[in-house]
């Protein structure tokens, strides 16, 4: 740094300037302390801090000085806490004074003192509000309101000790509500008196009804009248809507309980009048307030309970549901009455939907046992012991379901709501499907009617335009078909007739082109299922052994394989269903080795025939596996203990063919060339070695597997490498297993868990490295041919 002054003079100049800065800093710090004391004394320190919060001189103190601690609560918050705590303490003191303290003064003396204190507490907020101390005024007003309650109690204890306590409480609540309302109106700035007056006003009429022993209906009327007054007040004060809703709902619940417990129509008239009055109040509220559609909903439901409740005692349970539906479902017509206010129209429609849903649920409780009862047929098939059909009141359930279904269908047409369409389909199917049983029709008529209903549901599902309703119809058709199929097992003729008709119907549905693909596929799969069932039933009729039921069942898979491409869009699901039928055939024949070998061979023929088509070449592997399985089942049945004598003559030509194929087609996979030949010998020998107690076969098999593995590694062929390695590892495990068992038995019991823990720790510690090694190994195997 260059300077025109000599170094000594420049150093002296810097020292003088630093001294001046220190003096200025000390002056500013002293000035700052004086200003802080001044602001604290004037009570505006918080404002000064807030206004200077953005200034660096205020946000950060002097260098080296500790920063001011952050405040955990604001001044208004601390003030409110103190005022609330003070009001609570005063209230507790007043209660203790009135009830337990100053016993020598007597209740009269305490009452006089309370009156003076109450007047002071109620008058104190007036000057406080004028001075702007609103929070303090609120606290004292709260204490004053509580003291008025204590004054009322003192007046009762002094002047009217023999009066009825409940009746006096009703009158006191009315007087206190009026006094608090006047007090709150005089001091509009206070927020507590008016809500307190509103709450106190809810008590007089209900308490008076209890005091007069008016019963449940009288209490309901008291609650309803109070709710009506609250609703009228809610037009000016919105807060009154809450108690109006609560008391109105309580009154309607009392009326509904009284109506449902009535023993005669005459006894139900009084609750009905209460419910109708509540309904009128709810509709009136929705008429005046556009957002009060819930009031219209509750009122409309109350009206339904009132009208139907008069007829309920004279009806059986099922027909009482029908009576409620007759009254409630017409409410849905409000959707076509634009002259009604939106809230009333919406509430009425929802009320009709609620009544319909509840009626459908009640009817479903009678329908469900009808559907479940048929499962008892499975206890003894073809025994002609179908449970007796329901009679009498059960028919009302079907009527209720059909009424609800009709209403839902009409609503879906006029409102274009998909939910209504789905409900109409489900309810209509349930009503029509169970009606023949509930009406006690003969068995043949029941099956005919239920098949017709199931077919109608299936036809509806085939309609391309039916979306949600189509899905519901498909589910209903499947449920109905399953139920009828189970019921048909009660008799042989019924089984063949019902299952045959269902199979033909499903086949026709699968062939219906305009239907959705998923519907056609489901129908095709069901057709395969019922065809399989018919063949099983036909085999059972012949009294053949169960193992001989398998060849007829296998005919289904053969027919599907023969049709092939002619199945069109439903080919894949039908072939999968046919495969399941083939597995069922194999399972049926498992009880006898000879029959099992025959069925496996026939299944191999079916797969081989299907594999002729280029798009189903993969079934050739299944055919080979089935043929091999059939061969080995036959050999095991013949008692063969040396499978190599039968496998080596197959393996050698197969490997030669694979070698020639690889020479002509270098891109051919080693699995296709050598896999079948190697597996033909290695797998059966391995199974035999695991059951062989000698050492010759495991040694020979291990040596052959080692040679195959080394050949695969040298030639970089995947099939020999993996097959040989897997067989070699399995032989080694078989040979080492006895020694492992001996060692495990000799070790203490704590050693295996400890070793497992160490292994887990080691694997966890090198997990990432092991994943990398596994990926590299997989990539290396994938590069093999």
């Amino acid at each position: 740094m260059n300077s025109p002054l000599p170094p000594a003079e420049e150093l002296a100049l810097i020292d003088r300037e630093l001294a001046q800065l220190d003096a200025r800093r000390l002056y500013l710090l002293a000035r700052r302390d004086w200003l802080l004391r001044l602001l604290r004394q004037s009570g505006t320190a918080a404002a000064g801090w807030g206004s200077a919060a953005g200034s660096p001189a205020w946000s950060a103190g002097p260098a080296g000085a500790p920063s001011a601690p952050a405040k955990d609560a604001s001044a208004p918050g601390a003030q409110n806490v103190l005022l609330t705590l003070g009001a609570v303490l005063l209230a507790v003191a007043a209660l203790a004074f009135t009830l337990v303290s100053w016993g020598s003064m007597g209740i009269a003396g305490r009452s006089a003192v309370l009156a003076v204190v109450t007047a002071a507490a109620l008058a104190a907020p007036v000057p406080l509000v004028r001075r702007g101390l609103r929070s303090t005024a609120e606290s004292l007003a709260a204490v004053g309101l509580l003291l008025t309650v204590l004054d009322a109690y003192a007046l009762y204890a002094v002047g009217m000790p023999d009066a009825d306590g409940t009746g006096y409480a009703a009158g006191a609540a009315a007087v206190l509500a009026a006094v608090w309302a006047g007090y709150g109106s005089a001091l509009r700035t206070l927020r507590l008196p008016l809500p307190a007056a509103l709450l106190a006003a809810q008590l007089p009429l209900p308490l008076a009804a209890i005091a007069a022993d008016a019963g449940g209906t009288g209490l309901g009327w008291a609650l309803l009248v109070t709710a009506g007054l609250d609703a009228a007040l809610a037009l000016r004060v919105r807060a009154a809507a809450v108690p109006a809703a609560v008391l109105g709902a309580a009154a309607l619940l009392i009326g509904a309980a009284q109506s449902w417990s009535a023993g005669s129509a005459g006894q139900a008239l009084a609750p009905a009048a209460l419910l109708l009055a509540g309904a009128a109040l709810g509709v009136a509220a929705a008429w005046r307030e556009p957002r009060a559609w819930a009031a219209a909903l509750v009122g409309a439901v109350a009206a339904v309970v009132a009208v139907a409740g008069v007829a309920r005692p004279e009806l059986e349970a099922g027909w009482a549901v029908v009576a409620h539906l007759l009254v409630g479902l017409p409410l849905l017509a409000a959707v076509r009455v634009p002259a009604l206010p939106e809230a009333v129209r919406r509430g009425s429609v929802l009320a009709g939907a609620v009544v319909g849903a509840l009626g459908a649920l009640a009817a479903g409780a009678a329908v469900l046992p009808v559907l479940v009862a048929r499962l008892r047929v499975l206890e003894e098939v073809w025994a002609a012991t179908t449970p007796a059909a329901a009679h009498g009141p059960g028919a009302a359930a079907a009527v209720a379901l059909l009424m609800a279904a009709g209403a839902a269908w009409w609503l879906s047409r006029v409102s274009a709501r998909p939910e209504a369409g789905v409900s109409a389909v489900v309810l209509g199917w349930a009503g029509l499907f169970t009606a023949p049983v509930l009406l006690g029709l003969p068995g043949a008529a029941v099956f005919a009617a239920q098949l017709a209903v199931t077919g109608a549901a299936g036809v509806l599902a085939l309609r391309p335009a039916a979306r949600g309703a189509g899905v519901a119809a498909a589910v209903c058709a499947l449920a109905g078909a399953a139920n009828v199929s189970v019921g048909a097992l009660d008799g042989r003729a019924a089984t063949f007739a019902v299952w045959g008709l269902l199979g033909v119907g499903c086949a026709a549905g699968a062939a219906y082109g305009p239907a959705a693909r998923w519907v056609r596929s489901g129908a095709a799969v069901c057709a395969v299922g019922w065809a399989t069932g018919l063949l099983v039933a036909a085999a059972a009729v012949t009294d053949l052994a169960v193992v001989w039921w398998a060849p007829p069942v296998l005919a289904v898979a053969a027919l599907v394989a023969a049709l092939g491409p002619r199945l069109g869009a439903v080919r894949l699901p039908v072939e999968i269903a046919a495969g399941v039928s083939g597995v069922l055939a194999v399972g049926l024949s498992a009880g006898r080795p000879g029959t099992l070998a025959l069925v496996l061979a026939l299944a191999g023929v079916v797969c081989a025939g299907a594999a002729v088509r280029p798009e189903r070449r993969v079934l050739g592997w299944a055919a080979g596996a089935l043929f091999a399985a059939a061969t080995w089942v036959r050999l095991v049945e013949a008692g063969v203990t040396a499978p190599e004598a039968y496998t080596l003559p197959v393996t050698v030509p197969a490997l030669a063919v694979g070698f020639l194929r690889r020479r002509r087609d270098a891109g051919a996979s080693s699995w296709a060339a050598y896999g079948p030949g190697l597996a033909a010998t290695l797998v059966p020998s391995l199974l035999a070695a695991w059951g062989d107690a000698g050492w010759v076969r495991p040694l020979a098999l291990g040596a052959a597997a080692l040679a195959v593995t080394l050949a695969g590694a040298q030639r970089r062929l995947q099939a020999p490498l993996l097959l040989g390695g897997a067989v070699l590892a399995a032989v080694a495990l078989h040979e080492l297993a006895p020694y492992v068992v001996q060692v495990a038995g000799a070790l203490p019991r704590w050693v295996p868990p400890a070793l497992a823990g160490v292994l887990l720790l080691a694997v966890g510690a090198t997990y990432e490295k092991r994943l990398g090694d596994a990926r590299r190994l997989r990539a290396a195997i994938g590069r093999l041919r």
Side-chain angles (χ1 to χ4, degrees):
M1 297 174 62
N2 297 324
S3 174
L5 298 175
E9 295 181 7
E10 184 177 1
L11 180 59
L13 178 61
I14 291 175
D15 289 339
R16 287 194 300 270
E17 289 180 355
L18 288 175
Q20 292 176 0
L21 289 175
D22 289 340
R24 182 64 178 173
R25 181 174 180 271
L26 292 175
Y27 168 77
L28 292 176
L29 288 175
R31 183 69 177 176
R32 178 178 181 271
D33 292 337
W34 179 80
L35 291 173
L36 286 175
R37 288 194 300 270
L38 181 63
L39 290 174
R40 291 193 184 101
Q41 292 174 2
S42 62
T44 58
W49 278 98
S51 62
S55 173
W58 288 89
S59 59
S67 59
K71 292 179 171 57
D72 293 331
S74 63
Q79 175 189 357
N80 291 333
V81 171
L82 293 176
L83 292 175
T84 303
L85 182 59
V88 171
L89 292 177
L90 287 176
V92 172
L95 288 172
F97 168 73
T98 306
L99 299 177
V100 297
S101 298
W102 287 20
S104 59
M105 291 184 62
I107 189 64
R110 280 180 279 173
S111 301
V113 174
L114 274 178
V116 175
V117 175
T118 302
L122 294 177
V126 177
L128 292 175
V129 169
R130 292 176 182 174
R131 294 188 179 186
L133 303 177
R134 179 175 173 180
S135 298
T136 307
E138 290 280 2
S139 301
L140 289 177
V143 175
L145 297 181
L146 176 61
L147 290 175
T148 57
V149 178
L150 297 178
D151 289 333
Y153 168 74
L155 179 62
Y156 170 73
V158 173
M160 294 174 287
D162 298 330
D164 180 63
T166 307
Y168 177 81
V175 173
L176 289 177
V179 171
W180 291 352
Y183 182 70
S185 300
L187 295 177
R188 289 284 186 178
T189 55
L190 298 180
R191 291 174 296 183
L192 183 61
L194 288 179
L198 179 62
L199 291 178
Q202 312 306 311
L203 301 177
L205 291 180
L207 291 177
I210 295 175
D213 197 14
T217 305
L219 178 60
W221 277 108
L223 293 172
L224 187 62
V225 172
T226 305
L229 296 175
D230 291 335
L233 182 60
L235 298 177
R236 300 183 58 185
V237 181
R238 291 189 177 275
V242 176
V246 173
L247 296 184
L252 293 179
L253 287 177
I254 292 175
Q258 294 287 328
S259 177
W260 290 332
S261 62
S264 63
Q267 295 178 359
L269 289 177
L274 175 61
L275 290 171
L276 289 176
L281 178 60
V283 173
W287 203 289
R288 293 293 302 270
E289 176 55 50
R291 293 176 295 181
W293 58 268
L297 166 62
V298 175
V301 173
V304 172
V305 175
V307 176
V310 176
R312 183 202 57 80
E314 311 300 331
L315 300 173
E316 296 180 354
W319 293 109
V321 174
V322 175
H324 283 79
L325 291 176
L326 285 173
V327 179
L329 291 179
L331 293 173
L332 297 173
V335 73
R336 300 297 297 271
V337 185
L340 292 175
E342 175 62 24
V344 177
R345 183 166 64 252
R346 182 182 180 186
S348 300
V349 174
L350 289 177
V354 168
V355 173
L358 294 177
L361 289 176
V367 167
L368 187 61
V370 175
L371 300 177
V372 177
R374 278 187 169 164
L375 296 178
R376 294 170 54 189
V377 175
L378 298 177
E379 297 175 358
E380 191 174 0
V381 178
W382 289 352
T385 57
T386 302
H391 296 278
V399 175
L401 288 172
L402 294 178
M403 290 176 60
W409 175 82
W410 179 85
L411 187 62
S412 68
R413 297 296 299 271
V414 300
S415 64
R417 298 289 298 180
E419 300 87 354
V422 172
S423 301
V425 171
V426 174
L427 295 175
W429 170 82
L432 293 174
F433 190 84
T434 56
V437 180
L438 296 174
L439 294 174
L441 298 181
V446 169
F447 280 115
Q450 291 182 338
L451 283 173
V453 174
T454 302
V459 171
L460 179 59
L462 293 174
R463 294 179 55 191
R467 297 180 181 177
V471 175
V475 174
C476 291
L478 182 60
N483 190 268
V484 173
S485 298
V486 173
L489 288 173
D490 192 55
R492 298 188 178 188
T495 300
F496 287 101
V498 172
W499 288 18
L501 289 174
L502 290 174
V504 172
C506 289
Y512 185 66
R517 184 174 181 178
W518 67 270
V519 177
R520 296 178 58 197
S521 300
V525 170
C526 291
V528 173
W530 271 297
T532 303
L534 281 173
L535 291 174
V536 171
V541 170
T542 61
D543 294 331
L544 293 174
V546 176
V547 295
W548 290 109
W549 296 5
V553 173
L554 198 60
V556 176
L559 178 61
V560 172
L563 293 176
R566 299 178 184 177
L567 296 174
V570 300
R571 180 182 181 183
L572 181 60
V574 169
E575 288 179 344
I576 294 175
V580 175
S581 298
V583 173
L584 175 62
V586 173
L588 290 173
S589 63
R592 185 179 300 172
T595 310
L596 176 60
L598 174 62
V599 173
L600 288 172
L602 292 176
V605 172
V606 173
C607 290
V612 174
R613 299 186 177 92
E615 67 276 8
R616 293 293 183 266
R617 295 293 189 194
V618 69
L619 292 177
W621 292 92
L626 289 170
F627 285 137
T631 302
W632 283 109
V633 169
R634 183 64 68 180
L635 292 176
V636 170
E637 183 186 17
V640 173
T641 58
E644 293 81 4
Y646 299 92
T647 58
L648 286 176
V650 177
T651 296
V652 173
L655 293 177
V657 172
F659 176 75
L660 295 176
R661 180 180 178 183
R662 289 272 298 173
R663 291 189 62 181
R664 290 194 303 268
D665 184 9
S669 171
S670 62
W671 287 101
Y674 304 119
L678 292 174
T681 294
L682 292 178
V683 175
S685 298
L686 178 62
L687 296 177
W690 271 79
D692 194 345
W695 59 273
V696 178
R697 175 178 279 118
L699 178 61
L701 179 60
L706 177 61
V708 171
T709 303
L710 294 176
Q714 181 183 7
R715 297 289 183 180
R716 300 183 62 188
L717 299 176
Q718 192 179 94
L721 177 62
L722 295 182
L723 282 174
V727 173
L728 181 61
V731 171
L733 179 63
H734 174 265
E735 294 302 308
L736 292 176
Y739 302 101
V740 173
V741 172
Q742 293 178 4
V743 172
L747 291 176
R749 293 188 177 183
W750 60 267
V751 174
L755 293 177
V758 173
L759 177 62
L760 291 176
L761 289 176
V763 172
T766 58
Y767 184 70
E768 187 174 0
K769 185 176 182 300
R770 296 293 178 267
L771 286 179
D773 295 342
R775 285 191 291 266
R776 286 191 292 273
L777 177 61
R778 184 180 61 184
I781 293 176
R783 288 192 295 270
L784 300 179
R785 291 170 290 175

